[in-house]
Amino acid sequence: MTKNPYLPYPARIDDVAVETEDGNIKTFRIVFENERDRATWRHTPGQFAMLSIAGKGEIPIGIASSPTEEGFVLFTVNRAGVVTTALHQIEKGTRIGIRGPLGNGFPVDGAMRGKNILIIAGGFAFTTLRATLIYLLAHRANYGKITVVYGARTPGMLLYKDEFKAWQGLDGLDLNVTIDREAPGWSGLVGFVPTITERVAPSPENAAALICGPPIMIKFTMPPLEKIGWQDDQVYLSLENRMKCGLGVCGHCNVGPVYVCKNGPVFTREQVKKLPIEF
Amino acid sequence: MNILRLDINGLLDCLSSWAGGQELYGPVKDGWRRISRDGLEAVVSIPPGAPKAPIKTFFLAQPETLFTFSARHGDDDAWIPTPPKEAPNRRVLFGVRPCDARSIALNSMPYRDDPYYQARMDKTAVVGLSCNETCSTCFCKSVGGSPYGTEGLDILLTKADGGFIAEVLTSKGEGLLEKGTGTPAGDGDMARLKALRDAAQAGTSDTQALSASFKAKNLMQLYNARLWQGLSEPCLNCGACTFLCPTCYCFDIQDEVVRQAGRRIRYWDSCMFPLFTLHASGHNPRGEKIKRVRNRFMHKLKYFTERFGALSCVGCGRCIRECPVNIDIREVIRDLLSVE
Ligand SMILES: Cc1cc2nc3c(=O)[nH]c(=O)nc-3n(C[C@H](O)[C@H](O)[C@H](O)COP(=O)(O)OP(=O)(O)OC[C@H]3O[C@@H](n4cnc5c(N)ncnc54)[C@H](O)[C@@H]3O)c2cc1C
Ligand code: SF4
Ligand code: SF4
Ligand code: FES
């Protein structure tokens, strides 16, 4: 028998950053306590991990850092229920548990290699796309032009604001950050993600798109892409379902015959369309 | 494979040695009970059919402690997970019907890499009793099993001519028998066994063909079949079917802290419950009853079959016997097979 897949690695919260003006989203920087766990940890952008809060439980959270950022792992967490609330309340230095990495991730070293990349995100779903973008930038020569459309309700609800400033003006990177409605002090784009996508979407020729966000955003973002020829097998989505084991056994996360935790969370739109709508 | 003839005293000797040397369990009334040396009579005559309590209880413990931890802040090892130290005890399960034995083999496919399940498998020997008589709700033969099936067993006993024919199927089974147990089976015994098997097999459907038909059916055609609406309407979502089913293996995981001693446990859960899929946002992908009833059957008949090549149903009939509103999986199989 190899490793016990249910045992979390002990880790500590090394830093906490409040991301949004409502205080409901925080980014946690996590470091492994054991050198051995740190050294063997390998993930791909788009994968997730199970975070454990002793006595409260365990939750799946997308990995927000890129494998090229070494020595720590980042998670950006929205306060929702029992475990996420407990996580929001604990202090820097506290020990937690981390289990993973789990799931498949985006095909950054497969189907995305050599292509132009379109990244579309709404709300706090930018997390694993942050991991992806940093990975792409670190291996710049392997990809063509990168176009990002990222939207939030208000300027204060945007994640990773400082990093977006630093990315502005990078060669071959077209950043389009938008908010839903005009707001004082905001001089950037205004409009919903689908509208902005329609304006800036690149040609589907030799390209792949990664879309993460609320279902309604994904629904309205597809028609403008389809209009200019994007096919379902070029579009990658990340699904979410209630999870317990993360190993394809407990039965909580299935969408028809596939397990979001094991076969996903990343699927092409073509794959998703062949499944029951149970996510 | 070694085949022996055992008389009743020979069997009682075996049971006695198992009850003394390790833990012996057998079906008593509707449950599985630990059998002591002076209670052996209770298991030598077992009523037809599988007992109400499912055999999975021996492999998917209720609950299974995944690990323990200190929940005392300030302890150096606070929250460091410690896997359970003591290995499960060695035990013999006696009087297991071939359908239940087969469920152990089927469940060990999704649990192939599960250290807890495998540790329990390692420590358990399974001694089966074939079914000379069946119940009205038994249908093992139509889903890939047989009343004389050997899958998942270490030894299979078949009642014949006032005694038993014992087929010793694995090395674990060999290890259960002391030297000099029984006598080698004669040609008559072999012929008898073959005749019983052939008679049971006569007229049964081709089970390979059944799995193949489910695999060949279009996923969304089955999913959108009309039968789900009517089928799910009377269902109470009580979960009796899934809890008693030997091949339903879903679980939940929770943390438990008592006086600052914590443990993480897993225990049976059911896709019949709305909470099973509820997101923290309030969204529920299987919020309606029809979706949950459909998931139970689609998992058993289509999803599992696609993934592992066999139906996740051994035809024990528990769900049919115990469903308060008489939902019958045999009818669901028949109706789904006719979906075009
Ligand atoms: C692959 C994946 C990636 C995710 N990435 C992120 C992320 O980067 N940031 C973020 O804030 N959230 C993310 N989520 C959602 C997050 O897992 C849930 O918000 C969280 O589990 C809620 O737990 P809770 O205990 O606070 O809520 P409660 O409602 O108290 O939940 C109780 C239990 O139900 C389960 N559960 C409830 N809702 C969900 C859900 N939507 N998904 C999975 N399990 C659930 C968990 O096991 C949880 O412990 C992700 C979910 C998945 C499946
Ligand atoms: S036992 Fe019958 S009523 Fe209860 S959940 Fe199962 S199908 Fe529904
Ligand atoms: S579905 Fe019903 S008949 Fe089939 S194994 Fe489960 S309880 Fe037995
Ligand atoms: S979370 Fe257990 S099967 Fe996916």
Side-chain angles (χ1 to χ4, degrees), chain B residues 205-227:
Chain B
S205 52
D206 178 351
T207 50
Q208 289 296 80
L210 182 67
S211 306
S213 339
F214 272 111
K215 278 199 244 176
K217 294 262 173 207
N218 176 279
L219 170 71
M220 291 313 290
Q221 265 166 1
L222 293 181
Y223 187 87
N224 291 321
R226 299 178 71 139
L227 67 111

Side-chain angles (χ1 to χ4, degrees), chain A residues 4 6-8 52 54-55 57-58 95-97 240-242 244 248-252 254 256 259 276 278-279, chain B residues 67 69 76 78-79 81 114 116 223 249-252 255 264 266 269 275-276 278-279 283 285-286 295 303 307:
Chain A
N4 182 334
Y6 291 94
L7 297 185
S52 282
E58 208 181 27
R95 181 183 284 139
I96 65 160
E240 207 177 280
N241 253 352
R242 189 181 177 107
K244 285 297 172 178
V249 188
C250 77
H252 281 263
N254 76 300
Y259 291 89
E278 289 189 357
F279 47 86
Chain B
F67 54 81
F69 56 90
D76 275 351
W79 166 239
D114 187 277
Y116 307 90
Y223 187 87
Y249 56 79
C250 290
F251 60 81
D252 194 12
D255 283 9
R264 177 162 292 168
R266 78 175 180 197
D269 202 352
L275 254 178
F276 193 75
L278 182 67
H279 290 203
H283 169 63
R286 287 201 288 268
N295 186 69
Y303 309 155
R307 193 167 165 207

